[in-house]
Each structure stands twice: as structure tokens, then as C-alpha cells.
Amino acid sequence: MIERLRGILVDKDAEGVVVDVSGVGYRAAVPVGAIGSLPPLGEECVLHTRMVVREDAISLFGFATKEERSAFDALTAVSKIGPKLAVAVLSMLSPTEISTAVARDDAVKLATVPGLGKKTAERVVLELKGKEFAVFAPVGVTEDGSAVNEQGGGGAGAYMEAREALTSLGYSLEEAEQALREVPEDKAVSVESYVREALRRIGSRR
């Protein structure tokens, strides 16, 4: 089993990279974010890897951090999610965003990944809920698995309701989440104040 590669980065494209390790070139599929964090061609790099062996193919997947690899392992343990779809999820969402979405029962967030779909996103939440994610842990989630918002205010329920209210007003999911993250704790005491303060921040940017 290949767990880690350290060598010279000799090629990279939208789907993956090639790392030369002592004259042997290893091709690995990597998330988009990992590609962007790698050094220029010709320089040394390190990839944390996972090798997937099937009857018809042996594939290598690479990650910039152990947290990404741990998230990959968790996702591929979910029924109907293969390695390629897991990489697609990690190309859109960070390990912390994934684990926080699971803790919040936030299938809507997961379903923003192209190819995942609502039913599969709900399956991710169902099958990973309450399980430990080996290396990474969600921000704003207590030891018993219950979630709070990033500011420590009204909890996951208030956050989800406020986000739903903003998207129903026509704002994108990304725009709503950015605004909600900027609301200070003392202003997030209720869904109404949460939404009102978020709207002020959206308005100030327009």
C-alpha cells in the first residue's frame, strides 16, 4: 500500500499530478484545491496517498494533507460514493466543511457538489452522522456531536433557518453563508436578528 509520496513534481493538470520518486513516475488523481497548493513543476512535493485496487484497475489518489485523506476515506465508506466522486466532493468542500455539514444534517450544502445529488448527500449525512472522522473534526461541534454556529450563538438550527431565509430571498448559498459568518455572536441571538444583520452585511457590499 502506498501511503505517501515524496519526489519531484513533473506534471500536473486538471485531473491530477505526476510525481517522480527516484526515477519512477507516479500518477495520482488529486482534488482541485490540492493541485493549487502544490509547488511549481520541477520542485519537490509531498502527497499523502490512498491506493484503490479493483479487478479492472489500480488507482492512486493524492492529498495535500492527512485531513483530506481522512475525509476521502470517510466518504468512500458511504454506499454509492466511489473514489472519483469523493475527490469531486473534496474539490468543492474542505474536510472541516464536510464534517460540519454532517454534524448539522446539512444535506443542502453537500448537494452543491456537482454529481452528488440530494439523495446521495442525505446518505452521506445519515451514514457519517455520529462517526468519528479520524484526523479532522468539525469546527463548532461539541464532543457529543451537537452543532453550534461559528459565532457560538443560536446553534445549528438558527444558522440553517437564517440561511434558508436568505436563499429564499434570492441570495446564493455562498453569499448567504459568507454574510452569516460575519454576524457577531451578540447579534445572532435569534433567527430574525441573524437574518437582519446578515442582510446589512450583504447590502454594505453592494
Side-chain angles (χ1 to χ4, degrees):
M1 185 69 67
I2 301 174
E3 289 279 322
R4 181 175 180 270
L5 292 177
R6 179 178 179 180
I8 304 301
L9 184 64
V10 296
D11 192 20
K12 60 181 176 179
D13 53 39
E15 296 183 355
V17 301
V18 177
V19 180
D20 186 307
V21 181
S22 301
V24 179
Y26 292 87
R27 174 80 182 183
V30 302
V32 172
I35 293 177
S37 67
L38 292 174
L41 297 181
E43 294 190 9
E44 185 179 79
C45 71
V46 174
L47 284 180
H48 301 278
T49 58
R50 185 65 75 220
M51 186 168 66
V52 177
V53 180
R54 292 183 172 177
E55 291 184 1
D56 58 345
I58 299 176
S59 303
L60 191 64
F61 298 86
F63 309 93
T65 65
K66 289 182 179 180
E67 288 80 5
E68 283 189 346
R69 186 177 64 187
S70 180
F72 174 83
D73 291 341
L75 288 167
T76 53
V78 175
S79 58
K80 306 295 184 181
I81 293 190
K84 290 184 178 180
L85 183 52
V87 169
V89 174
L90 285 163
S91 292
M92 292 282 294
L93 304 172
S94 70
T96 297
E97 288 174 321
I98 295 168
S99 52
T100 300
V102 169
R104 286 175 169 163
D105 295 323
D106 192 356
V108 173
K109 178 71 173 179
L110 296 172
T112 60
V113 177
L116 193 61
K118 181 181 178 181
K119 289 185 177 179
T120 305
E122 290 172 346
R123 187 181 297 116
V124 171
V125 171
L126 178 65
E127 295 191 23
L128 296 187
K129 185 75 170 179
K131 293 185 178 180
E132 291 190 11
F133 293 70
V135 178
F136 68 103
V139 173
V141 176
T142 62
E143 291 183 359
D144 65 0
S146 60
V148 298
N149 68 36
E150 289 86 343
Q151 296 80 20
Y159 174 89
M160 299 278 281
E161 287 185 44
R163 192 186 66 181
E164 183 177 356
L166 291 172
T167 55
S168 69
L169 292 173
Y171 299 106
S172 68
L173 192 66
E174 181 179 4
E175 192 172 23
E177 290 182 341
Q178 181 183 349
L180 291 171
R181 284 195 298 268
E182 296 172 357
V183 177
E185 181 179 346
D186 62 342
K187 300 293 186 180
V189 294
S190 68
V191 174
E192 292 75 12
S193 61
Y194 214 172
V195 172
R196 184 168 57 251
E197 291 299 322
L199 286 171
R200 287 181 182 176
R201 280 153 179 79
I202 292 174
S204 67
R205 289 195 291 267
R206 292 190 168 184

